[in-house]
Amino acid sequence: MAVYEERIPQVKQQRPKRRGNRKLVFLLMLFFLIVLIIVFIRSPYSKVQEIQVFGNDIYPAEQIINQSGLKKDMQFLNVWEGSVQKNLQPLEGIKEVTVSRSFPGVIALHVTEQKRVAFWSGQDGTRYPLLENGMVLKQVNFANRVVDRPLISSWASPELLPNLAKSLSKLNPSVLGEISDITLTPTVYDKQRVTLFMRDGNEVRSVVYKLDKMLNWYPSIVKELPKDTKGVLSLFEQPWFVPYGAANEAVPLQNTTEQSQ
């Protein structure tokens, strides 16, 4: 009996074919993934439902959106930051823009613009912003906007505008807001002499290349002026004040700028 059993070949135990099962599971998962993608693409959630703009001041949001090439109902996943940046290049007042996405369907454009430092006032009533880089931006007319920056009413040397813009961009916002008008008043000795008319009634005379250093001390200097007296304040090496109607009564002021340094 033992010999007989030895002659019978032993049947090998067959292992379950796991490889085939894994392949089937993979195909099922792939199928459902494709179905989900198709459903998502055809659903409203795959489309741009809202476009938001943040950080804009020079350009209205509608103009930025139209120039960006973005539209509602376009594919949400088909929005590329590089494409938006390229489309917005013609808007010269925009320094940079970034794009962010929020599900479902919200695209946000975060805009950084060139700082406005003054207004270039034309004889025909137009009013264009002077940017911090010295450019007079004629793409946007600010004639109907609130005048919240100095007006340049007379300036015969356009080549000096970049220097003026650079100096104004370094002023404290509170000081910049105190300037009403700026006029270029060159002399034989200095072509960069300027006259500034302040909102408090005083007149300031200085030079473009020292404007940011001298004018930032204007609030401190004004405290030294005679009470309820308006006049001409000369801000060069040594501040001097001459009351209106009293040309021979020049008042030397403490050199606040040197002491503060």
Short mmCIF file of all heavy atoms in Angstrom, two decimals, residues 181-216:
data_model
loop_
_atom_site.label_atom_id
_atom_site.label_comp_id
_atom_site.label_asym_id
_atom_site.label_seq_id
_atom_site.Cartn_x
_atom_site.Cartn_y
_atom_site.Cartn_z
N ASP A 181 -0.14 121.89 -5.56
CA ASP A 181 0.37 122.11 -6.92
C ASP A 181 1.89 122.15 -6.92
O ASP A 181 2.51 122.58 -5.94
CB ASP A 181 -0.16 123.43 -7.49
CG ASP A 181 -1.66 123.40 -7.73
OD1 ASP A 181 -2.42 123.66 -6.76
OD2 ASP A 181 -2.06 123.11 -8.86
N ILE A 182 2.45 121.71 -8.04
CA ILE A 182 3.90 121.76 -8.23
C ILE A 182 4.19 122.46 -9.55
O ILE A 182 3.61 122.13 -10.59
CB ILE A 182 4.52 120.35 -8.26
CG1 ILE A 182 4.22 119.60 -6.96
CG2 ILE A 182 6.03 120.43 -8.48
CD1 ILE A 182 4.72 118.17 -6.96
N THR A 183 5.12 123.42 -9.53
CA THR A 183 5.49 124.17 -10.72
C THR A 183 7.01 124.22 -10.83
O THR A 183 7.69 124.44 -9.83
CB THR A 183 4.94 125.61 -10.66
OG1 THR A 183 3.52 125.56 -10.53
CG2 THR A 183 5.28 126.37 -11.93
N LEU A 184 7.52 123.99 -12.02
CA LEU A 184 8.95 124.12 -12.27
C LEU A 184 9.26 125.60 -12.46
O LEU A 184 8.71 126.26 -13.36
CB LEU A 184 9.36 123.33 -13.50
CG LEU A 184 10.86 123.31 -13.84
CD1 LEU A 184 11.64 122.59 -12.75
CD2 LEU A 184 11.09 122.62 -15.18
N THR A 185 10.14 126.14 -11.62
CA THR A 185 10.50 127.57 -11.68
C THR A 185 12.02 127.69 -11.74
O THR A 185 12.67 128.09 -10.77
CB THR A 185 9.95 128.32 -10.45
OG1 THR A 185 10.33 127.61 -9.26
CG2 THR A 185 8.44 128.40 -10.50
N PRO A 186 12.63 127.35 -12.87
CA PRO A 186 14.10 127.34 -12.98
C PRO A 186 14.69 128.75 -12.91
O PRO A 186 14.04 129.75 -13.23
CB PRO A 186 14.34 126.70 -14.35
CG PRO A 186 13.11 127.02 -15.13
CD PRO A 186 11.98 126.99 -14.14
N THR A 187 15.93 128.80 -12.48
CA THR A 187 16.69 130.05 -12.46
C THR A 187 17.94 129.89 -13.33
O THR A 187 18.22 128.80 -13.83
CB THR A 187 17.10 130.42 -11.03
OG1 THR A 187 18.04 129.44 -10.55
CG2 THR A 187 15.89 130.48 -10.11
N VAL A 188 18.66 130.95 -13.47
CA VAL A 188 19.90 130.90 -14.25
C VAL A 188 20.90 129.95 -13.59
O VAL A 188 21.70 129.28 -14.26
CB VAL A 188 20.51 132.31 -14.37
CG1 VAL A 188 21.85 132.26 -15.12
CG2 VAL A 188 19.55 133.25 -15.08
N TYR A 189 20.86 129.86 -12.28
CA TYR A 189 21.84 129.07 -11.53
C TYR A 189 21.39 127.62 -11.31
O TYR A 189 22.23 126.76 -11.07
CB TYR A 189 22.10 129.74 -10.17
CG TYR A 189 22.52 131.17 -10.29
CD1 TYR A 189 21.61 132.20 -10.07
CD2 TYR A 189 23.82 131.51 -10.65
CE1 TYR A 189 21.99 133.54 -10.19
CE2 TYR A 189 24.21 132.84 -10.78
CZ TYR A 189 23.28 133.84 -10.55
OH TYR A 189 23.67 135.17 -10.68
N ASP A 190 20.10 127.36 -11.37
CA ASP A 190 19.62 125.99 -11.09
C ASP A 190 18.35 125.73 -11.89
O ASP A 190 17.32 126.37 -11.70
CB ASP A 190 19.33 125.82 -9.59
CG ASP A 190 19.32 124.34 -9.20
OD1 ASP A 190 18.95 123.51 -10.05
OD2 ASP A 190 19.66 124.04 -8.04
N LYS A 191 18.45 124.77 -12.82
CA LYS A 191 17.32 124.44 -13.68
C LYS A 191 16.29 123.55 -12.99
O LYS A 191 15.23 123.29 -13.55
CB LYS A 191 17.82 123.73 -14.95
CG LYS A 191 18.82 124.55 -15.76
CD LYS A 191 18.20 125.84 -16.27
CE LYS A 191 19.20 126.60 -17.14
NZ LYS A 191 18.64 127.90 -17.62
N GLN A 192 16.60 123.09 -11.77
CA GLN A 192 15.69 122.17 -11.09
C GLN A 192 14.94 122.83 -9.92
O GLN A 192 14.40 122.14 -9.06
CB GLN A 192 16.46 120.94 -10.59
CG GLN A 192 17.08 120.12 -11.70
CD GLN A 192 17.48 118.73 -11.25
OE1 GLN A 192 16.81 118.11 -10.43
NE2 GLN A 192 18.57 118.22 -11.79
N ARG A 193 14.88 124.14 -9.92
CA ARG A 193 14.12 124.83 -8.88
C ARG A 193 12.62 124.55 -9.06
O ARG A 193 12.10 124.61 -10.18
CB ARG A 193 14.36 126.34 -8.94
CG ARG A 193 15.74 126.77 -8.49
CD ARG A 193 15.82 126.80 -6.96
NE ARG A 193 17.13 127.29 -6.52
CZ ARG A 193 17.35 128.54 -6.14
NH1 ARG A 193 16.36 129.42 -6.15
NH2 ARG A 193 18.55 128.90 -5.74
N VAL A 194 11.94 124.29 -7.97
CA VAL A 194 10.50 124.04 -8.01
C VAL A 194 9.79 124.87 -6.95
O VAL A 194 10.37 125.22 -5.92
CB VAL A 194 10.17 122.55 -7.80
CG1 VAL A 194 10.57 121.71 -8.99
CG2 VAL A 194 10.80 122.03 -6.52
N THR A 195 8.53 125.17 -7.22
CA THR A 195 7.67 125.85 -6.26
C THR A 195 6.47 124.95 -5.98
O THR A 195 5.82 124.47 -6.91
CB THR A 195 7.18 127.21 -6.80
OG1 THR A 195 8.32 128.04 -7.06
CG2 THR A 195 6.28 127.90 -5.80
N LEU A 196 6.21 124.73 -4.70
CA LEU A 196 5.10 123.88 -4.28
C LEU A 196 4.11 124.70 -3.48
O LEU A 196 4.49 125.44 -2.57
CB LEU A 196 5.60 122.70 -3.44
CG LEU A 196 6.59 121.73 -4.09
CD1 LEU A 196 8.03 122.21 -3.89
CD2 LEU A 196 6.44 120.34 -3.51
N PHE A 197 2.86 124.58 -3.83
CA PHE A 197 1.79 125.25 -3.10
C PHE A 197 1.12 124.22 -2.19
O PHE A 197 0.59 123.21 -2.67
CB PHE A 197 0.80 125.87 -4.07
CG PHE A 197 1.41 126.92 -4.96
CD1 PHE A 197 1.91 126.59 -6.21
CD2 PHE A 197 1.52 128.23 -4.52
CE1 PHE A 197 2.49 127.55 -7.03
CE2 PHE A 197 2.10 129.21 -5.33
CZ PHE A 197 2.60 128.86 -6.58
N MET A 198 1.19 124.48 -0.90
CA MET A 198 0.69 123.53 0.09
C MET A 198 -0.78 123.80 0.41
O MET A 198 -1.27 124.93 0.26
CB MET A 198 1.53 123.62 1.37
CG MET A 198 3.05 123.58 1.11
SD MET A 198 3.63 122.11 0.22
CE MET A 198 3.46 120.88 1.53
N ARG A 199 -1.46 122.77 0.85
CA ARG A 199 -2.89 122.90 1.15
C ARG A 199 -3.14 123.76 2.38
O ARG A 199 -4.26 124.24 2.58
CB ARG A 199 -3.50 121.51 1.33
CG ARG A 199 -3.42 120.65 0.08
CD ARG A 199 -4.15 119.34 0.22
NE ARG A 199 -3.88 118.45 -0.89
CZ ARG A 199 -4.48 118.52 -2.08
NH1 ARG A 199 -5.40 119.44 -2.29
NH2 ARG A 199 -4.18 117.67 -3.05
N ASP A 200 -2.12 123.94 3.21
CA ASP A 200 -2.31 124.77 4.40
C ASP A 200 -2.11 126.26 4.11
O ASP A 200 -2.22 127.10 5.00
CB ASP A 200 -1.37 124.33 5.52
CG ASP A 200 0.11 124.44 5.13
OD1 ASP A 200 0.40 124.98 4.04
OD2 ASP A 200 0.96 124.00 5.92
N GLY A 201 -1.81 126.62 2.84
CA GLY A 201 -1.67 128.01 2.47
C GLY A 201 -0.25 128.49 2.30
O GLY A 201 -0.03 129.61 1.82
N ASN A 202 0.72 127.70 2.66
CA ASN A 202 2.12 128.10 2.51
C ASN A 202 2.63 127.77 1.11
O ASN A 202 2.06 126.95 0.38
CB ASN A 202 2.99 127.40 3.55
CG ASN A 202 2.78 127.95 4.94
OD1 ASN A 202 2.70 129.17 5.13
ND2 ASN A 202 2.69 127.07 5.93
N GLU A 203 3.73 128.43 0.77
CA GLU A 203 4.41 128.19 -0.50
C GLU A 203 5.83 127.72 -0.19
O GLU A 203 6.51 128.33 0.63
CB GLU A 203 4.44 129.48 -1.32
CG GLU A 203 5.14 129.37 -2.65
CD GLU A 203 5.15 130.72 -3.39
OE1 GLU A 203 4.18 131.49 -3.22
OE2 GLU A 203 6.15 130.99 -4.10
N VAL A 204 6.24 126.61 -0.82
CA VAL A 204 7.55 126.04 -0.56
C VAL A 204 8.40 126.14 -1.82
O VAL A 204 7.95 125.81 -2.92
CB VAL A 204 7.45 124.57 -0.11
CG1 VAL A 204 8.84 123.95 0.04
CG2 VAL A 204 6.68 124.45 1.19
N ARG A 205 9.65 126.58 -1.64
CA ARG A 205 10.59 126.63 -2.75
C ARG A 205 11.78 125.74 -2.44
O ARG A 205 12.36 125.82 -1.37
CB ARG A 205 11.04 128.08 -3.00
CG ARG A 205 9.90 128.99 -3.45
CD ARG A 205 10.32 130.43 -3.59
NE ARG A 205 9.18 131.27 -3.94
CZ ARG A 205 9.23 132.60 -4.04
NH1 ARG A 205 10.38 133.23 -3.80
NH2 ARG A 205 8.15 133.28 -4.37
N SER A 206 12.12 124.89 -3.40
CA SER A 206 13.23 123.95 -3.19
C SER A 206 13.76 123.53 -4.55
O SER A 206 13.50 124.19 -5.57
CB SER A 206 12.76 122.75 -2.37
OG SER A 206 13.85 121.93 -2.01
N VAL A 207 14.51 122.42 -4.57
CA VAL A 207 15.03 121.86 -5.82
C VAL A 207 14.64 120.39 -5.89
O VAL A 207 14.47 119.72 -4.87
CB VAL A 207 16.57 122.01 -5.89
CG1 VAL A 207 16.96 123.44 -6.17
CG2 VAL A 207 17.22 121.50 -4.62
N VAL A 208 14.51 119.89 -7.11
CA VAL A 208 14.02 118.53 -7.32
C VAL A 208 14.90 117.51 -6.60
O VAL A 208 14.41 116.59 -5.94
CB VAL A 208 13.95 118.21 -8.82
CG1 VAL A 208 13.64 116.73 -9.04
CG2 VAL A 208 12.90 119.07 -9.49
N TYR A 209 16.22 117.65 -6.73
CA TYR A 209 17.13 116.64 -6.20
C TYR A 209 17.25 116.63 -4.68
O TYR A 209 17.88 115.75 -4.12
CB TYR A 209 18.51 116.76 -6.85
CG TYR A 209 19.12 118.14 -6.80
CD1 TYR A 209 19.86 118.57 -5.71
CD2 TYR A 209 18.95 119.01 -7.87
CE1 TYR A 209 20.41 119.84 -5.67
CE2 TYR A 209 19.50 120.29 -7.84
CZ TYR A 209 20.23 120.70 -6.74
OH TYR A 209 20.76 121.96 -6.72
N LYS A 210 16.65 117.62 -4.01
CA LYS A 210 16.66 117.63 -2.54
C LYS A 210 15.25 117.56 -1.96
O LYS A 210 15.08 117.62 -0.74
CB LYS A 210 17.34 118.90 -2.02
CG LYS A 210 18.84 118.91 -2.17
CD LYS A 210 19.45 120.12 -1.47
CE LYS A 210 20.97 120.08 -1.56
NZ LYS A 210 21.58 121.24 -0.86
N LEU A 211 14.29 117.41 -2.83
CA LEU A 211 12.90 117.52 -2.39
C LEU A 211 12.53 116.45 -1.37
O LEU A 211 11.89 116.73 -0.35
CB LEU A 211 11.98 117.42 -3.61
CG LEU A 211 10.57 117.98 -3.47
CD1 LEU A 211 10.62 119.45 -3.10
CD2 LEU A 211 9.79 117.78 -4.76
N ASP A 212 12.93 115.21 -1.61
CA ASP A 212 12.56 114.13 -0.71
C ASP A 212 13.25 114.27 0.65
O ASP A 212 12.67 113.92 1.69
CB ASP A 212 12.88 112.76 -1.33
CG ASP A 212 14.34 112.64 -1.73
OD1 ASP A 212 14.89 113.63 -2.25
OD2 ASP A 212 14.93 111.57 -1.51
N LYS A 213 14.46 114.81 0.68
CA LYS A 213 15.19 114.93 1.95
C LYS A 213 14.68 116.12 2.77
O LYS A 213 14.57 116.04 3.99
CB LYS A 213 16.69 115.10 1.68
CG LYS A 213 17.31 113.90 0.99
CD LYS A 213 18.78 114.14 0.70
CE LYS A 213 19.41 112.96 -0.02
NZ LYS A 213 20.83 113.20 -0.35
N MET A 214 14.38 117.23 2.09
CA MET A 214 13.98 118.44 2.80
C MET A 214 12.50 118.44 3.16
O MET A 214 12.13 118.83 4.27
CB MET A 214 14.31 119.67 1.94
CG MET A 214 15.77 119.79 1.54
SD MET A 214 16.88 120.01 2.96
CE MET A 214 16.40 121.63 3.55
N LEU A 215 11.65 118.03 2.24
CA LEU A 215 10.21 118.19 2.44
C LEU A 215 9.63 117.22 3.46
O LEU A 215 8.57 117.47 4.02
CB LEU A 215 9.48 118.05 1.10
CG LEU A 215 8.08 118.67 1.04
CD1 LEU A 215 8.15 120.17 1.29
CD2 LEU A 215 7.43 118.39 -0.30
N ASN A 216 10.30 116.10 3.69
CA ASN A 216 9.79 115.16 4.70
C ASN A 216 9.78 115.77 6.10
O ASN A 216 9.09 115.27 6.99
CB ASN A 216 10.63 113.87 4.70
CG ASN A 216 10.02 112.81 3.82
OD1 ASN A 216 8.81 112.73 3.64
ND2 ASN A 216 10.87 111.96 3.25
#
